[in-house]
Amino acid sequence: MAISFDKALGVHPHALLIRSQRAEILASNIANADTPGYKAKDIDFAQAFKAAKSSQQRGNTMVRTDDSHLNGGTKMTGGVELFRNPNQADTGDGNSVDVQVERNLYVQNSLEYQASLQFLSGKFKGLNKALGGQG
């Protein structure tokens, strides 16, 4: 009997990937806090997660059918990267990054990433026990 890792691990690998990509975007926002004209971006996690779940249920995977095709990569955001509405008035340089908001979102995302990682770790421990290993 074969083990399907997609079924065994569920959506947790997708959640980790989306949270990782969100961390990159939030870090980019912080890094560009002083860049004139930079607009803060974020991912709609719920929408990206929904897209990842439906993709997993359909079993859709990108396949390169020709060597000249670009590698699809592992972006899970599915076009749900959005510009954030600014919380502060324009300072004159067109930058919409509020560093305090970005730091708070980054910390929250980090905690959620750790939670997803713990869920995934629990899944691996369960698989290890099911296969007769030491857990």
Side-chain angles (χ1 to χ4, degrees):
M1 177 181 190
I3 295 175
S4 168
F5 283 107
D6 284 339
K7 288 181 182 176
L9 300 177
V11 295
H12 299 297
H14 300 297
L16 275 178
L17 186 57
I18 295 167
R19 294 207 186 283
S20 173
Q21 291 170 356
R22 184 171 187 229
E24 289 178 25
I25 290 171
L26 294 172
S28 177
N29 289 346
I30 294 169
N32 286 292
D34 294 327
T35 304
Y38 185 83
K39 304 296 181 200
K41 294 180 256 183
D42 201 353
I43 293 175
D44 183 346
F45 182 82
Q47 203 172 5
F49 192 67
K50 183 178 174 184
K53 276 177 52 175
S54 67
S55 172
Q56 181 187 22
Q57 289 169 349
R58 288 190 312 259
N60 290 346
T61 56
M62 291 180 28
V63 177
R64 285 177 56 183
T65 56
D66 189 278
D67 288 336
S68 63
H69 292 168
L70 295 175
N71 189 357
T74 57
K75 288 280 187 193
M76 296 296 299
T77 58
V80 291
E81 187 175 308
L82 308 168
F83 289 103
R84 180 168 304 122
N85 291 328
N87 294 336
Q88 59 194 15
D90 188 1
T91 58
D93 65 356
N95 188 308
S96 68
V97 176
D98 183 346
V99 177
Q100 309 239 333
V101 169
E102 300 301 324
R103 285 182 185 157
N104 290 340
L105 290 172
Y106 190 86
V107 169
Q108 179 185 359
N109 188 65
S110 295
L111 292 171
E112 291 166 348
Y113 180 89
Q114 288 296 324
S116 294
L117 195 58
Q118 287 178 345
F119 279 122
L120 194 56
S121 176
K123 291 284 188 179
F124 278 115
K125 285 180 184 176
L127 283 173
N128 195 21
K129 284 182 182 178
L131 294 173
Q134 300 297 321

